Structures are given as structure tokens and as C-alpha cells.
């Protein structure tokens, strides 16, 4: 499933109706998170770096790029561990990933083990790292600076100019790091390794940088990284379907097919009656309002149970629904073949909609909308990444309505950004670094078995993927793995970004599937497994004495 609900202010009323019906591609971490109270973590003020707006045409314009550091464990000669926040405001991640609030983070555990400096990095056009205001009036001329290449070069430029003395409040105020030459700067990539950690889109960024700039990024832990950009991502919901019990899958497929067929080919009265049933399962609605609802909006009700799947997985988010569905709200004993096969499609539809009402996913609070990050990420996927999670009518096991089509996604991109977009997302800008076939050295890939984004990662098992296999054998430093293997782990039964942090102290904000997410993964084992193997790899890869540039 996807996590961003994009409130687009251009053609506002039309787009709001579409938002209610279509989930946009999102790799963003999502949690209903109460801010950490003052005094619960040590003060750590944001720092700002003067970043060139355009790295490639010589313009002198700059903007303030936000970041944070934690030098608690740093000793001269230690490496830099950079945690990338990706397509979101980085500030909410600070207590969890740089200060280890209520748990441990891989970034800080590694900084402690190797006497390293930890950095939390914010991506251009997100949070407070804004070259321009981001809203419905942002022009194509301003959006053109939000590209993968510009954002990657931000990290290269920062690494080449950052020094610890320039980051301190009493140092030079220009933030350019000019106080020390590269030769004298112990933190310059030519003098010490820079190690990247990131999950989801930040994981992709780390792998691209390792391919693109191995002289800057020495090693990478890429968790749940969909390195293959693809316009058509009908495979997204295949991972969720695989995790279902077989009776729940059979009924979900049957009900989806029945709804799509009735709305597309049934009589006007039959379609109106069905829309009323569907929308009434979510909340009270009049027959008139239901009849006027779009097909995609009505059929989208069937996907409500998937709204929390990406981070919480089958057991926490879908099993409660499947249990109500297959027992008809605990009034019958479930059968292996499902309700549709034994009692007919009308009975299955009634049981399905009853389960939606009983579990009431629509009432579960989610993260508040952030118009800046929602719009910025929409520009990124509309312009370069694609990931249009359409319904595939040709998939015999599809649990997604086919009204969510490629054309519908592209139309919304064009409506939101009337100027500046290519005719279709330029996925070649990403896949030129290898995509599914990339073989970067010093990169550790981790995935969740049932992560929807695994379908676009190196561990993909989709029929059109190269079917690569992870190995826990640590490769030699600087040596690329041989196809089809890659260095990494697939965590059994896990979903998206389940290993870069571990929750140790449960509290009211981190106690059930409604709130446990990227900040507090659903299980502890993936964190320790991933951290342990990546630590062993760094033991092999990091220079034991003086940094040797020849190992890159």
C-alpha cells in the first residue's frame, strides 16, 4: 500500500475527490507520532549548510540545507555515519535515530562501536531545506532543481566541504567548511570513510551514490531499497496477497473482480446499489451521494484494510480483518476455500463489507498531512520514479481494483504539474545505475519478505525480475558481487524498513499496529540481525589503521 495522501491545491475540488480514491506511490515512513517532550532528549540544534541550488550550470544561488550531528562517540580518525531522512521533514527522526529515544538506532550503535560521527541529513525540498516555498504555486522553473542528480550531488558537495569545526556554533558562520583544507580535515572522505544508512528511498540514494561516487561513500546499508524504477508497479499489492491466508485471498480476489465487473458493465441501478453498499461500509452516506461517486472511489473501499500493511504486515494489520471476514463476524467456522466458493459472491461481499465496518480502518488515526513533502514527493515520482501502483485486471490474484489505472495516475501528475514534467516518468535517470542488475561493492541490502517494495528491490521474486538471491557471505572490500547473488538478508515475515531501529521501551505512542511503524518496527530480531551482519562487514571493510583511499 502507499502512505502519502496528497492534498493538491491546483484544481482543488477535483483532486480532493481523487485523493479519496487513489493512494499515491509513497516510500515515506509513516507513524502517528506524538512529538518528544522537551527534556526527554538532550538538546541538539539543527545546523544549516550553504548548498548550491544548481551543481551543474555554475549558478551562484544557494539555499540552506538542514542537518544535525551527534559527536558523542567521535574520536579523530573515526568514520562518518550519515543517516538520510529522504522524502520527509527530517526533524521528527532526530530523537529516534540520532538520540536513541526509547530504543536503539543502527546509526548510533555503529558510531559507538567505531568511534564515529553521526549525521542526520535532510533532502532538498523537504522540511526546512527549501530553496523555494513549496505549494500549489511553485513553478516548473523552480521544480526543475528537484532531481535525483541534484540531490545526490548535494551529499557529494557537503562531504567535500564539511568539517566538524565549521559545524560548531562558535566556528565560521558561512557554513562552507573553508576553515580547513581537505588534507587537514580529518572528516574529509579522502581521510576517513563515509558510511551511508537509509531505508526505502534513502536506501536507493545510498546505492546510487556508491555506484556514482565511490570516492565519497565508502559503504552502505540499504534497507528496503526499491532500486528498480518502473512506471508500472502493479506488483506492489502482490506482496500483500502472498501474505494472506488462502481463504481470505480467494474471497478478496472474488469480491474485487465482482465489484469491478458490476461497476464497469452492470446496469445503472446495479452500479448505484453497489456503490451505496461499498461507501456505507466506510461511513454514513446518502444514496444520492453514493450514486454520484466515481467508480474508483467506490471500489477503493475494498482496499481500506491495506492502508496499514506496508509497515505492520499481515499479522498486525490484515489478520484481524481476515478473521472477521472468514467467520462472518465470528458466527461461523471458516472454510479453507472461502465464502465465495461455498456460499456465493453476494455472501462474500456482505461478509467483506461487514469486516470493513467492524475493523473500521477509516477511524484509525494516521500522520497529519504535510503538503510540502507530499507535493515534493509527487514531483519526484511523476518526473523520475513512477511506481504507479495500478490494479492489474490480467492478474488472476489481484486484490486491487482495476479502476486504478496507469492513465489515471499519469492524469493526476499532469493535473498537479501542468508544466515541466516529461510525458512519462524518466525512470532511466535512476535505472542507468543498474537497477535490478546493479552490483555495487561494499553495500549491504536488507528486505522484508512481504514488503511491497521488495518487488522493486534486488530481492524481488517477480517474474520480470532477474530473481537474484541474497548471501550472508561477506564480500571482500571493494569487490563487486557476481550476479545473481548480492550481499544481504531477507527478514522472514517482515515488511518495510524493519531493521534500522529497535524499540526497547514501549509507551503509549508505540504500543499497537496503529502507531508502530518506521520509528518503532514491529519486531526486534531484524534490527539485531542486520546490525550484526553489517558490523561484521565493516570489520572487514574498514581500514584498521590509516584510511587507505585505494580500498574504495
Amino acid at each position: 500500500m502507499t502512505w502519502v495522501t496528497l492534498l493538491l491545491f491546483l484544481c482543488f475540488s477535483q483532486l480532493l475527490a481523487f485523493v479519496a480514491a487513489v493512494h499515491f506511490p509513497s516510500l515515506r515512513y509513516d507513524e502517528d507520532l506524538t512529538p518528544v517532550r522537551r527534556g526527554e532528549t538532550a538538546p541538539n540544534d539543527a545546523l544549516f549548510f550553504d548548498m548550491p541550488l544548481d551543481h551543474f550550470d555554475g549558478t551562484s544561488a544557494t539555499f540552506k540545507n538542514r542537518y544535525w550531528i551527534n559527536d558523542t562517540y567521535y574520536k579523530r580518525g573515526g568514520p562518518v555515519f550519515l543517516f538520510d531522512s529522504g522524502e520527509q521533514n527530517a526533524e521528527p527522526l532526530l530523537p529516534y535515530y540520532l538520540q536513541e529515544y526509547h530504543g536503539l538506532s543502527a546509526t548510533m550503535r555503529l558510531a559507538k562501536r567505531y568511534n564515529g560521527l553521526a549525521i542526520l541529513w535532510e533532502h532538498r525540498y523537504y522540511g526546512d531545506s527549501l530553496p523555494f516555498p513549496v505549494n500549489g504555486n511553485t513553478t516548473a522553473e523552480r521544480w526543475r532543481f528537484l532531481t535525483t542528480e541534484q540531490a545526490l550531488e548535494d551529499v557529494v558537495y557537503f562531504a567535500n566541504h564539511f568539517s566538524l569545526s565549521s559545524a560548531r556554533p562558535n566556528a565560521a558562520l558561512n557554513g562552507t567548511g573553508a576553515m580547513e583544507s581537505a588534507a587537514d580535515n580529518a572528516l574529509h572522505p579522502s581521510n576517513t570513510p563515509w558510511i551511508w544508512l537509509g531505508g526505502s528511498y534513502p536506501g536507493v540514494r545510498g546505492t546510487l551514490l556508491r555506484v556514482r561516487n565511490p570516492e565519497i561513500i565508502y559503504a552502505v546499508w540499504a534497507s528496503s531499497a526499491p532500486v528498480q524504477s518502473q512506471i508500472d508497479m502493479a506488483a506492489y499489492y502482490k506482496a500483500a496477497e502472498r501474505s494472506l491466508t488462502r481463504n481470505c485471498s480467494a474471497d478478496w480476489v472474488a469480491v474485487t473482480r465482482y465489484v469491478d465487473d458490476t461497476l464497469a458493465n452492470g446496469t445503472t441501478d446495479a452500479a448505484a446499489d453497489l456503490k451505496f453498499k461499498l461507501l456505507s461500509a466506510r461511513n454514513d452516506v446518502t444514496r444520492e451521494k453514493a450514486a454520484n461517486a466515481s467508480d474508483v472511489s467506490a471500489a477503493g473501499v475494498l482496499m481500506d484494510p491495506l492502508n496499514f500493511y506496508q509497515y505492520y504486515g499481515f499479522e498486525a494489520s490484515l489478520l484481524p480483518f481476515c478473521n472477521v471476514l472468514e467467520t462472518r463476524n465470528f458466527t461461523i467456522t471458516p472454510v479453507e476455500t472461502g465464502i465465495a466458493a461455498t456460499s456465493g459472491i453476494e455472501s462474500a461481499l456482505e461478509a467483506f463489507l461487514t469486516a470493513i465496518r467492524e475493523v473500521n480502518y477509516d477511524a484509525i488515526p494516521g500522520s497529519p498531512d504535510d503538503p510540502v513533502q507530499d507535493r515534493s514527493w509527487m514531483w519526484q515520482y511523476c518526473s523520475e520514479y513512477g511506481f504507479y501502483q495500478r490494479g492489474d485486471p490480467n492478474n488472476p490474484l489481484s486484490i486491487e481494483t482495476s479502476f486504478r489505472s496507469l492513465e489515471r495516475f499519469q492524469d493526476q501528475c499532469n493535473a498537479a504539474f501542468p508544466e515541466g514534467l516529461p510525458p512519462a516518468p524518466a525512470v532511466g535517470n535512476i535505472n542507468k545505475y543498474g537497477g535490478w542488475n546493479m552490483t555495487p561493492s561494499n553495500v549491504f541490502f536488507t528486505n522484508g519478505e512481504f514488503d511491497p517494495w521488495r518487488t522493486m528491490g534486488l530481492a524481488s521474486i517477480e517474474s520480470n525480475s532477474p530473481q537474484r538471491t541474497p548471501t550472508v557471505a561477506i564480500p571482500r572490500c571493494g569487490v563487486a558481487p557476481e550476479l545473481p547473488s548480492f550481499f544481504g538478508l531477507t527478514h522472514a515475515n517482515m515488511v518495510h524498513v524493519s531493521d534500522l531501529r529497535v524499540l526497547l521501551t514501549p509507551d503509549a505512542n508505540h504500543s499497537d499496529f496503529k502507531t508502530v511503524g518506521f520509528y518503532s518496527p514491529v519486531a526486534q530480531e531484524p534490527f539485531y540481525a542486520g546490525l550484526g551482519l553489517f558490523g561484521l562487514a565493516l570489520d572487514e571493510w574498514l581500514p584498521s589503521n590509516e584510511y587507505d583511499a585505494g580500498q574504495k
Side-chain angles (χ1 to χ4, degrees), residues 18-182:
F18 185 82
V19 165
V22 174
H23 289 191
F24 290 95
S26 173
L27 293 87
R28 177 163 64 94
Y29 329 129
D30 204 2
E31 182 178 6
D32 181 26
L33 186 67
T34 300
V36 175
R37 293 187 294 271
R38 184 180 298 275
E40 290 191 302
T41 59
N44 191 327
D45 294 333
L47 302 168
F48 290 87
F49 183 87
D50 288 337
M51 185 66 70
L53 174 63
D54 190 338
H55 294 283
F56 307 115
D57 75 351
T59 180
S60 60
T62 63
F63 69 97
K64 298 292 185 181
N65 207 129
R66 187 167 61 163
Y67 69 101
W68 293 260
I69 65 173
N70 186 333
D71 60 354
T72 299
Y73 305 117
Y74 177 66
K75 295 181 181 179
R76 187 176 178 86
V80 174
F81 292 95
L82 187 149
F83 184 84
D84 183 44
S85 66
E87 72 285 26
Q88 65 177 315
N89 176 1
E91 188 170 13
L93 277 66
L94 175 65
Y96 294 89
Y97 286 90
L98 228 59
Q99 298 175 303
E100 299 195 303
Y101 175 73
H102 282 204
L104 305 176
S105 78
T107 303
M108 292 311 301
R109 291 301 92 195
L110 293 167
K112 182 177 183 178
R113 178 171 178 175
Y114 297 102
N115 300 319
L117 175 75
I119 297 176
L120 172 61
W121 181 253
E122 187 168 74
H123 194 295
R124 64 166 56 199
Y125 283 75
Y126 295 93
D128 279 353
S129 299
L130 300 179
F132 311 102
V134 170
N135 52 49
N137 296 319
T138 305
T139 63
E141 171 62 22
R142 291 180 169 184
W143 280 122
R144 71 185 181 92
F145 299 106
L146 178 53
T147 68
T148 296
E149 290 299 321
Q150 294 283 3
L152 294 178
E153 194 64 22
D154 286 345
V155 179
V156 174
Y157 187 88
F158 175 73
N160 279 325
H161 293 82
F162 171 77
S163 69
L164 193 56
S165 60
S166 70
R168 295 190 183 281
N170 58 352
L173 298 179
N174 62 10
T176 64
M179 292 181 62
E180 295 177 283
S181 67

Side-chain angles (χ1 to χ4, degrees), residues 73-366:
Y73 305 117
Y74 177 66
K75 295 181 181 179
R76 187 176 178 86
V80 174
F81 292 95
L82 187 149
F83 184 84
D84 183 44
S85 66
E87 72 285 26
Q88 65 177 315
N89 176 1
E91 188 170 13
L93 277 66
L94 175 65
Y96 294 89
Y97 286 90
L98 228 59
Q99 298 175 303
E100 299 195 303
Y101 175 73
H102 282 204
L104 305 176
S105 78
T107 303
M108 292 311 301
R109 291 301 92 195
L110 293 167
K112 182 177 183 178
R113 178 171 178 175
Y114 297 102
N115 300 319
L117 175 75
I119 297 176
L120 172 61
W121 181 253
E122 187 168 74
H123 194 295
R124 64 166 56 199
Y125 283 75
Y126 295 93
D128 279 353
S129 299
L130 300 179
F132 311 102
V134 170
N135 52 49
N137 296 319
T138 305
T139 63
E141 171 62 22
R142 291 180 169 184
W143 280 122
R144 71 185 181 92
F145 299 106
L146 178 53
T147 68
T148 296
E149 290 299 321
Q150 294 283 3
L152 294 178
E153 194 64 22
D154 286 345
V155 179
V156 174
Y157 187 88
F158 175 73
N160 279 325
H161 293 82
F162 171 77
S163 69
L164 193 56
S165 60
S166 70
R168 295 190 183 281
N170 58 352
L173 298 179
N174 62 10
T176 64
M179 292 181 62
E180 295 177 283
S181 67
D184 295 331
N185 180 7
L187 293 175
H188 191 272
S190 62
N191 297 322
T192 199
W194 280 56
I195 299 164
W196 181 283
L197 294 94
S200 199
Y201 170 58
V204 175
R205 279 165 43 80
T207 65
L208 301 187
L209 279 166
R210 179 60 188 161
V211 174
R212 182 183 187 270
N213 300 99
E215 79 286 359
I216 300 295
I217 300 301
Y218 186 86
V220 174
W221 180 351
S223 176
S224 296
V227 296
Q228 175 77 13
S229 286
Q230 200 164 279
I231 296 173
D232 184 349
M233 198 184 172
Y236 182 91
Y237 289 99
K238 289 182 179 180
E241 189 280 325
R242 293 185 191 113
S243 74
L244 297 174
T245 57
R246 290 304 84 195
N247 52 3
C248 190
S249 169
D251 284 330
W252 207 322
V253 169
V255 168
T256 299
R257 189 173 301 145
Y258 171 77
V259 167
D260 281 0
D261 182 63
T262 302
L263 294 181
N265 305 310
T267 66
T268 300
D269 288 344
D273 287 344
L274 181 55
K275 287 181 180 180
F276 180 70
K277 290 179 181 179
L278 291 165
L279 294 170
S280 294
R282 185 183 284 164
N283 47 48
D284 292 335
V285 63
T286 65
R287 284 189 172 273
E288 181 181 4
K289 184 175 182 180
N292 291 328
S294 66
D295 292 338
V296 67
S297 177
V301 171
L302 301 181
M303 301 187 66
D304 283 1
L306 293 165
N307 286 349
F308 296 89
Y309 176 79
Q310 179 167 304
Y311 286 100
Y312 317 133
F314 170 73
E315 184 175 352
S317 68
L318 295 183
L319 182 58
F321 170 81
C322 288
N323 283 341
V324 176
L325 165 61
E326 295 305 321
T327 64
R328 295 195 190 181
N329 202 14
F330 304 104
T331 62
I332 65 169
T333 301
V335 295
E336 185 176 353
T337 55
I339 296 172
T342 57
S343 302
I345 190 60
E346 290 288 351
S347 294
L349 175 63
E350 180 183 355
F352 197 101
L353 297 181
T354 297
I356 287 179
R357 282 190 293 269
E358 290 297 318
V359 180
N360 196 12
Y361 288 95
D362 197 51
I364 296 173

Side-chain angles (χ1 to χ4, degrees), residues 443-444 470-476 479 481 485-489 533 537 540-541:
V443 177
F444 176 54
T471 175
V472 296
I474 298 171
R476 291 172 51 207
V479 176
S485 68
F486 63 92
F487 177 49
L489 286 172
L533 186 53
E540 296 293 322
W541 297 342

